[in-house]
Amino acid sequence: MDPLRARFPRYFAYEDLLSAAERVVSGYRRTVDGGTPVEFTHSHRDASLPEETVRVSVDGEHLDLTVEAWIGHLDAAEPYVLAWVSARVHLAGARLMTSRGRPDPYWKDALQEANPGRG
């Protein structure tokens, strides 16, 4: 284990949670045009959130990821966020974003499944 991670586990856990949420949200934004808006913020940016919290928001619903709850199983955070977001976004009628770099494969497949017959 990295000696810094061993010395500062909560700091790195927070960074890992932030990265997990950011990967899901940025992949969605980079790929989906016209779907449900997905946002994220964190306690360093939003003082109203509890310390060491990352929040993902979809259509008025919020998922709060806290270091306290996730520190023991950070590897499961990204798949959990992806499943949570997937269950709440509406992709019917949305299109593949063509101007923001390489599309995320998961969201590209989800778009195709939600919009059969679109090429």
Side-chain angles (χ1 to χ4, degrees), residues 4-85:
L4 282 176
R5 280 187 171 270
R7 189 167 176 198
F8 304 104
R10 294 186 73 85
Y11 171 82
F12 284 101
Y14 179 77
E15 292 298 313
D16 290 345
L17 286 175
L18 184 57
S19 293
E22 188 171 28
R23 280 190 297 273
V24 172
V25 174
S26 67
Y28 178 85
R29 289 180 181 167
R30 190 176 63 246
T31 306
V32 178
D33 182 19
T36 308
V38 178
E39 304 294 330
F40 83 100
T41 191
H42 50 83
S43 53
H44 289 170
R45 185 185 303 160
D46 183 345
S48 70
L49 291 175
E51 195 170 323
E52 299 180 322
T53 299
V54 176
R55 173 174 281 177
V56 179
S57 302
V58 177
D59 211 18
E61 290 186 65
H62 306 291
L63 171 64
D64 288 346
L65 305 165
T66 64
V67 168
E68 195 64 40
W70 284 92
I71 197 164
H73 45 106
L74 291 164
D75 55 331
E78 187 172 348
Y80 185 81
V81 172
L82 184 60
W84 188 88
V85 170

